[in-house]
Amino acid sequence: DVKVTQSSRYLVKRTGEKVFLECVQDMDHENMFWYRQDPGLGLRLIYFSYDVKMKEKGDIPEGYSVSREKKERFSLILESASTNQTSMYLCASGLAAANTGELFFGEGSRLTVL
Amino acid sequence: TQLLEQSPQFLSIQEGENLTVYCNSSSVFSSLQWYRQEPGEGPVLLVTVVTGGEVKKLKRLTFQFGDARKDSSLHITAAQPGDTGLYLCAGADNNAGNMLTFGGGTRLMVKP
């Protein structure tokens, strides 16, 4: 079974703090994604990566950055957390060769910024 | 921009009832997926439909892809409390690198 593991299930941070959210997948998938999920807004894509050291902006990249130094690991960074970044963050991975774009999600990281 | 609209947004039913969730778009998709997400967890893939008119069954769940590949439906027969969750449809477009467009979700509660 594909396993996507997110480092923290729940975090509470203060405004202005730097936040790292880590994601590791064990199926050698080329593609990795970070989404945020908010009530009424659905899943919104923040950043994605097709390969090591490659990153592409999604629909809402402002206030976020990412790092992909190894194929299995994709990190989301909030340089200076703000209250409007309180959300559920979901990491996902998928095969580049899959012609249907199926994704495997982690369990999510619920971030609260005070 | 491709959009996927799901309806209804919320559904509360009694155990044993049948229900249908709809996923509609004006755009054509190469394939469409359905995910279920339980509270506090990430979405889990249920099924992928690829061919227009395709019907797939997963126990009491029946998924259909529209003939024109613009819409899909999920029908649950004799719903059980374990079916409670958020159901998400997502469309993939081969012409856009298979990036997924997600619907807003249908939150289902099945009461015992």
Side-chain angles (χ1 to χ4, degrees):
Chain A
D1 280 352
V2 175
K3 187 133 179 93
V4 180
T5 304
Q6 294 185 226
S7 55
S8 305
R9 293 294 302 274
Y10 302 95
L11 301 97
V12 180
K13 297 290 182 181
R14 296 202 174 276
T15 301
E17 283 192 275
K18 192 169 186 176
V19 182
F20 290 92
L21 298 178
E22 301 226 301
C23 174
V24 178
Q25 50 95 4
D26 65 0
M27 285 301 292
D28 205 34
H29 284 168
E30 294 85 1
N31 299 342
M32 296 189 75
F33 304 80
W34 275 105
Y35 290 88
R36 64 177 283 178
Q37 184 176 32
D38 301 285
L41 296 176
L43 271 74
R44 292 181 291 167
L45 181 62
I46 304 171
Y47 266 97
F48 60 100
S49 169
Y50 286 134
D51 203 349
V52 175
K53 296 194 184 296
M54 292 183 65
K55 58 187 178 184
E56 298 284 344
K57 291 180 180 179
D59 299 319
I60 52 163
E62 296 79 18
Y64 303 94
S65 61
V66 290
S67 171
R68 189 142 181 228
E69 295 297 316
K70 293 185 178 182
K71 189 175 185 180
E72 67 270 20
R73 189 179 297 269
F74 193 35
S75 302
L76 180 69
I77 303 145
L78 289 66
E79 291 289 341
S80 177
S82 61
T83 54
N84 63 11
Q85 292 178 309
T86 291
S87 186
M88 171 74 134
Y89 289 88
L90 292 165
C91 174
S93 72
L95 276 171
N99 62 1
T100 51
E102 291 152 335
L103 294 182
F104 298 87
F105 285 87
E107 293 180 316
S109 299
R110 185 164 292 283
L111 171 67
T112 300
V113 183
L114 302 174
Chain B
T1 303
Q2 295 176 311
L3 290 173
L4 269 173
E5 303 226 355
Q6 278 186 247
S7 62
Q9 283 187 286
F10 302 96
L11 194 53
S12 180
I13 61 172
Q14 292 294 136
E15 181 176 3
E17 291 184 22
N18 302 332
L19 68 115
T20 302
V21 176
Y22 299 94
C23 180
N24 294 298
S25 176
S26 57
S27 304
V28 175
F29 290 100
S30 309
S31 63
L32 194 136
Q33 299 150 34
W34 285 92
Y35 294 82
R36 180 169 67 209
Q37 184 178 18
E38 297 187 18
E41 304 293 330
V44 175
L45 180 68
L46 295 174
V47 77
T48 300
V49 285
V50 179
T51 307
E54 182 177 4
V55 176
K56 279 192 175 178
K57 293 196 173 186
L58 190 67
K59 297 184 181 177
R60 292 176 294 99
L61 279 62
T62 302
F63 305 84
Q64 184 160 10
F65 202 12
D67 291 340
R69 290 186 285 127
K70 293 183 179 181
D71 54 86
S72 181
S73 63
L74 157 60
H75 182 79
I76 303 179
T77 304
Q80 298 177 2
D83 295 327
T84 293
L86 178 68
Y87 289 82
L88 295 160
C89 65
D93 181 1
N94 285 344
N95 296 323
N98 282 326
M99 293 299 295
L100 293 183
T101 298
F102 280 90
T106 294
R107 192 165 295 281
L108 172 65
M109 176 173 289
V110 182
K111 294 178 280 190

